[in-house]
Amino acid sequence: MPEKINVQEIFAKNVFTIGKMKEYLNEDVFNEVMRLRDEGGVLPLKTANAVANAMKDWAVANGATHYTHWFQPLTGVTAEKHDAFIKHPDAEGRCLLEFSGKELVKGESDASSFPSGGLRATFEARGYTAWDMTSPAFLKEDAIGTILCIPTAFCSYKGEALDTKTPLLRSMEAINNQALRLLKLFGNTSSKKVTPSVGPEQEYFLVDREKYLKREDLIFAGRTLFGAPAPKGQEKDDHYYGTIRERIGAYMNDLNVELWKLGVTAKTQHNEVAPAQHELAPIYETANVAMDHNQLVMEVMKKVASRHGLACLLHEKPFAGVNGSGKHDNWSLNTDDGINLLDPGDSPDENMQFLMVLSCIIKAVDKHADLIRQSAANVGNDQRMGGNEAPPCIISVFLGEQLEDVVNQIIEFGEANSHIEGGTFKTGVSALPDFEIDATDRNRTSPFAFTGNKFEFRSVGSSDSIGSANITLNTIVAEAFSDACDIIENSDDKTAAIHKVITDNFTKHQRIIFSGDGYSEAWRVEAERRGLPNLKSMVDTVGTLVDEKTVALFEKFGIFTKAELESRAEILYETYAKSTNIEAATMIEMASKQIIPAVATYAGELAYTINEMAKAGITGVVQIGRLSDINRELTEMDSALAKLKTLRNEALSISSEKEKAFFYRDKVVPAMEALRNPADELEMLVDKKIWPLPTYADLMFEV
Ligand code: ADP
Ligand code: MG
């Protein structure tokens, strides 16, 4: 049995929480830090020195030897460079420890080694990391020792964002400003701040580490590139919420403890739909902290797995034919005085404000459906989206029956000039019905679903950062709020204007609302008729980032400049090409060095048997049939291999990143599939003993 765990004792043990800051700082400094944290502004050096010193004292008391500016460059993972606290020894050879305010607030690193999509070519290579005061510092403990990690934003010398944190913080400011503007129009003068809250549910697979190490595709690509289906998949629905096996339970237990120490609110754990698939959901937090924590969740998941002789697969589609993994991004807007703008409320006034917020979100999602789709695009998600129980590539909004009915009434009866009479909509909606937070009529097929008091964006990939999705959500909704405020602020009859904006938003953007089966072919046809975009692969989405509508959106709110967007587009094309190239190379290697040689040897043995049998005067009918099938598939595999090699070489010679990415998608990916098909057939034809790779059954059912 595992040791008894005292959650309260270990929770946030390794975090420099506000409580600890209070303990380690004098009152004036503490108050100043809190004010700057809430209101923004420059931290005076004296204050920074005091905070740095306090952080160091706390960290050293807890065994830390180094500190690092922890940041999130556009590689999808986090980056860190450790510096010891030690100072030049004094005259007597004593080593003193130091951490200055300057070191806390700003770090310098070579930006040219991180993806910058051309920004580095035009500007200096130097990059800076700047402390994100709103996300707490923490200690990472592992074999390397204990490291004080300071969450930071990463920018170029000229201030261009080179990470996911900088634009996320900018988008949070934008939505704060516009939401406060909107709230004022509803008579709210008490709320001082509006922040997006995010709860990302994280899906993952666990496989045995020994078996994992026997598969180069898992090692290099994070997914299986070959593999025939196991006799059993997920058809019996017996894994979802199933009893958690001991080995997995021990893993989850350890994972929770590690996460709680880091202040991550790991809350829910269960088995997912596919065999060997699981999920962890934290309690929602402010968007930037949620993003930092989700990065930690992914990192700790992998680390703890290796301790348990397991490997954690965060890829969106580790196994063909069963569910892939996503990261449901639950999103809502909350004021500092406890109002959730996505809560329908129970008085007509609250309802009206809710309907305004809802109508703006509908408008935002419809206007920028392509951009939202883009925000969830990554290489792995191309394998998952549109597949087994994964959201379709078409973005639509699910509201649920009750709410959709209200929207339909507003559209049908709410004339542009209609107004509220005695707190009642002319439509007859006096107050919204009570919504069940745990709505029973959930629609799992919708990519963007209203779930009682939040929206759940389900397209995000399991290995992806939630940065892009939340930057996009915050900004497009800020834009819709801003449009609404422009109209209402400039009208004489504010109530009528509010009603008109709501009606217009719903009427003009109704096409994005869809409650039916998002997986069906009928929806694909219907969505096309409605003019909704259907961007099928990552490379199809990238252009959206630099189109006029997107540039105008992000520039208006100071989130991205055109140059920053162009750099991001370039990085995405580059990432797609590089990742696919690695996959192709891995397949070539596995086919040439493992599968073909093993099958060829087996075929030789069969041929020998057939000859020996013939000598004995017997025709080996079964053996001959088998050998001829094997020979057919082997020949097909060999020619598919040659073709893939040629196309890969051709791809490598293309210089434009965009052209290269499309070439990989259009030519190399189909060639990879053509190589996989005969290999998977062969796996079913030869003796299991000679197959050089652990099979799907070995990986998913023998964990
Ligand atoms: P589900 O039914 O989808 O599992 P849960 O209530 O378990 O929904 O929540 C899933 C995630 O959504 C959790 O991370 C939870 O903290 C988060 N969540 C709940 N309420 C909100 C909210 N108002 N805003 C943002 N996230 C939320
Ligand atoms: Mg959910």
Side-chain angles (χ1 to χ4, degrees):
M1 286 296 282
E3 281 173 57
K4 290 260 183 306
I5 295 161
N6 183 334
V7 183
Q8 283 178 311
E9 213 165 83
I10 61 170
F11 190 79
K13 182 173 161 278
N14 289 349
V15 184
F16 195 56
T17 55
I18 291 177
K20 283 178 197 132
M21 217 189 285
K22 199 168 181 179
E23 197 181 303
Y24 276 79
L25 290 173
N26 78 42
E27 201 178 324
D28 290 345
V29 176
F30 174 76
N31 290 337
E32 190 175 8
V33 173
M34 284 297 106
R35 190 179 54 77
L36 287 167
R37 181 178 170 275
D38 293 337
E39 296 167 16
V42 181
L43 197 65
L45 190 59
K46 208 170 133 240
T47 316
N49 279 331
V51 178
N53 204 46
M55 256 188 206
K56 180 210 69 189
D57 286 348
W58 167 75
V60 170
N62 284 283
T65 53
H66 294 68
Y67 73 92
T68 183
H69 276 199
W70 185 75
F71 59 103
Q72 298 167 41
L74 298 169
T75 51
V77 289
T78 58
E80 54 193 72
K81 177 191 80 176
H82 305 162
D83 276 299
F85 290 118
I86 56 169
K87 234 172 103 170
H88 202 281
D90 68 8
E92 289 168 30
R94 266 185 309 244
C95 167
L96 298 172
L97 301 182
E98 183 186 55
F99 182 44
S100 71
K102 248 175 144 169
E103 288 167 316
L104 164 67
V105 174
K106 192 169 164 189
E108 198 184 320
S109 72
D110 179 8
S112 66
S113 305
F114 293 100
S116 73
L119 285 177
R120 69 169 171 252
T122 33
F123 303 102
E124 282 201 47
R126 223 177 305 166
Y128 290 99
T129 47
W131 182 31
D132 170 11
M133 285 174 74
T134 57
S135 185
F138 57 91
L139 298 176
K140 255 207 233 177
E141 282 174 322
D142 55 33
I144 201 171
T146 302
I147 315 286
L148 170 66
C149 298
I150 297 147
T152 55
F154 180 46
C155 294
S156 78
Y157 180 63
K158 292 266 169 83
E160 286 104 351
L162 295 173
D163 67 348
T164 44
K165 178 60 87 61
T166 308
L168 180 64
L169 293 172
R170 291 174 184 163
S171 74
M172 289 168 68
E173 211 170 301
I175 192 124
N176 175 45
N177 293 335
Q178 300 310 321
L180 285 177
R181 233 180 117 191
L182 191 69
L183 284 180
K184 255 200 206 93
L185 294 171
F186 282 86
N188 176 337
T189 49
S190 59
S191 300
K192 300 222 159 31
K193 198 165 182 177
V194 176
T195 28
S197 300
V198 174
E201 303 165 50
Q202 177 74 49
E203 293 178 334
Y204 61 100
F205 279 82
L206 287 175
V207 297
D208 184 86
R209 187 163 183 81
E210 297 266 306
K211 290 176 189 145
Y212 165 90
L213 290 173
K214 290 195 176 112
R215 292 199 62 130
E216 282 178 83
D217 48 4
L218 290 180
I219 294 171
F220 296 125
R223 70 172 175 119
T224 54
L225 296 165
F226 295 102
K232 177 174 187 279
Q234 61 193 41
E235 57 278 71
K236 287 176 70 186
D237 293 325
D238 51 355
H239 194 253
Y240 192 56
Y241 284 16
T243 309
I244 296 166
R245 272 163 301 148
E246 282 272 306
R247 186 174 186 195
I248 305 302
Y251 167 82
M252 287 181 173
N253 184 37
D254 211 1
L255 176 64
N256 287 333
V257 168
E258 291 302 322
L259 290 175
W260 289 333
K261 280 201 244 168
L262 289 165
V264 177
T265 49
K267 166 105 177 148
T268 309
Q269 61 198 19
H270 60 81
N271 283 349
E272 257 302 328
V273 173
Q277 191 186 27
H278 314 279
E279 179 181 302
L280 179 144
I283 297 172
Y284 64 94
E285 300 173 285
T286 306
N288 61 324
V289 180
M291 176 169 84
D292 287 357
H293 280 172
N294 181 250
Q295 290 290 346
L296 285 176
V297 165
M298 292 195 283
E299 194 180 313
V300 175
M301 277 181 165
K302 289 188 172 169
K303 203 188 290 185
V304 173
S306 62
R307 255 190 242 159
H308 287 254
L310 296 164
C312 173
L313 307 178
L314 291 172
H315 194 280
E316 285 72 15
K317 193 80 174 180
F319 302 101
V322 295
N323 276 18
S325 298
K327 181 138 54 193
H328 294 178
D329 190 80
N330 294 272
W331 180 92
S332 66
L333 292 172
N334 295 276
T335 68
D336 56 334
D337 51 352
I339 305 166
N340 176 359
L341 303 191
L342 274 86
D343 190 332
D346 33 43
S347 73
D349 285 348
E350 287 170 338
N351 288 175
M352 190 57 77
Q353 183 182 301
F354 166 73
L355 287 172
M356 170 60 80
V357 170
L358 182 72
S359 81
C360 286
I361 295 174
I362 299 280
K363 169 182 172 171
V365 176
D366 182 40
K367 181 173 174 194
H368 296 288
D370 49 359
L371 189 61
I372 297 196
R373 161 72 182 92
Q374 198 300 307
S375 77
N378 75 358
V379 187
N381 231 0
D382 269 17
Q383 307 296 324
R384 164 183 173 251
M385 285 180 75
N388 302 59
E389 287 201 35
C393 296
I394 306 160
I395 297 294
S396 63
V397 178
F398 172 79
L399 293 180
E401 214 176 302
Q402 287 174 313
L403 199 50
E404 198 177 333
D405 183 51
V406 171
V407 170
N408 286 336
Q409 284 186 54
I410 294 173
I411 292 170
E412 197 177 335
F413 305 113
E415 300 289 333
N417 61 359
S418 67
H419 56 282
I420 306 146
E421 293 159 350
T424 308
F425 258 109
K426 205 176 161 188
T427 59
V429 184
S430 59
L432 295 176
D434 283 343
F435 293 105
E436 314 250 326
I437 297 274
D438 279 317
T440 44
D441 57 344
R442 281 163 182 248
N443 183 331
R444 294 206 300 172
T445 69
S446 176
F448 200 82
F450 182 70
T451 44
N453 62 358
K454 60 180 162 61
F455 269 99
E456 183 168 341
F457 179 34
R458 297 170 173 146
S459 309
V460 184
S462 50
S463 72
D464 209 356
S465 159
I466 57 169
S468 187
N470 290 297
I471 292 163
T472 305
L473 280 177
N474 295 342
T475 313
I476 62 174
V477 175
E479 183 191 49
F481 284 175
S482 163
D483 292 349
C485 292
D486 287 347
I487 295 170
I488 303 163
E489 283 167 0
N490 289 316
S491 70
D492 297 330
D493 184 345
K494 301 238 173 333
T495 312
I498 285 172
H499 193 198
K500 179 167 159 41
V501 168
I502 294 174
T503 311
D504 282 356
N505 282 349
F506 283 138
T507 309
K508 289 185 191 150
H509 302 283
Q510 191 184 10
R511 65 171 184 171
I512 200 76
I513 303 172
F514 177 66
S515 311
D517 179 3
Y519 298 158
S520 70
E521 172 61 15
W523 168 233
R524 198 195 53 73
V525 174
E526 166 66 10
E528 195 177 329
R529 194 193 59 74
R530 293 190 191 183
L532 297 176
N534 183 2
L535 300 171
K536 294 204 185 72
S537 86
M538 173 175 165
V539 291
D540 295 321
T541 72
V542 180
T544 307
L545 271 184
V546 289
D547 71 18
E548 229 173 277
K549 175 172 66 96
T550 305
V551 174
L553 166 81
F554 284 128
E555 287 202 328
K556 176 172 180 181
F557 295 99
I559 314 297
F560 288 121
T561 61
K562 187 162 186 233
E564 285 172 329
L565 287 166
E566 280 166 352
S567 91
R568 268 156 217 256
E570 183 85 356
I571 291 168
L572 290 175
Y573 284 131
E574 207 178 301
T575 305
Y576 184 87
K578 283 182 180 162
S579 305
T580 313
N581 183 53
I582 291 170
E583 292 193 343
T586 305
M587 287 188 87
I588 291 169
E589 169 111 358
M590 290 170 76
S592 314
K593 296 191 179 165
Q594 294 185 287
I595 302 175
I596 293 177
V599 175
T601 307
Y602 180 67
E605 283 166 16
L606 266 182
Y608 179 80
T609 310
I610 291 164
N611 282 335
E612 289 302 301
M613 286 171 82
K615 276 187 213 159
I618 300 169
T619 310
V621 180
V622 174
Q623 290 83 346
I624 291 170
R626 190 54 71 99
L627 181 58
S628 128
D629 288 346
I630 289 173
N631 195 44
R632 187 188 62 238
E633 299 300 332
L634 198 56
T635 312
E636 189 183 326
M637 212 184 146
D638 199 51
S639 71
L641 175 64
K643 185 150 180 229
L644 180 59
K645 279 186 186 163
T646 310
L647 287 169
R648 182 171 168 260
N649 285 334
E650 209 177 310
L652 290 172
S653 69
I654 302 171
S655 57
S656 144
E657 292 300 338
K658 179 176 174 182
E659 221 177 284
K660 196 189 258 186
F662 275 94
F663 186 89
Y664 273 102
R665 202 268 315 260
D666 296 334
K667 301 277 196 269
V668 178
V669 169
M672 286 162 59
E673 279 160 21
L675 177 60
R676 177 176 182 149
N677 292 335
D680 291 357
E681 286 297 324
L682 284 167
E683 188 184 332
M684 310 292 282
L685 286 169
V686 302
D687 186 344
K688 181 168 169 30
K689 287 205 283 284
I690 70 103
W691 195 250
L693 309 165
T695 64
Y696 270 28
D698 297 335
L699 288 165
M700 283 192 277
F701 290 92
E702 292 176 25
V703 191

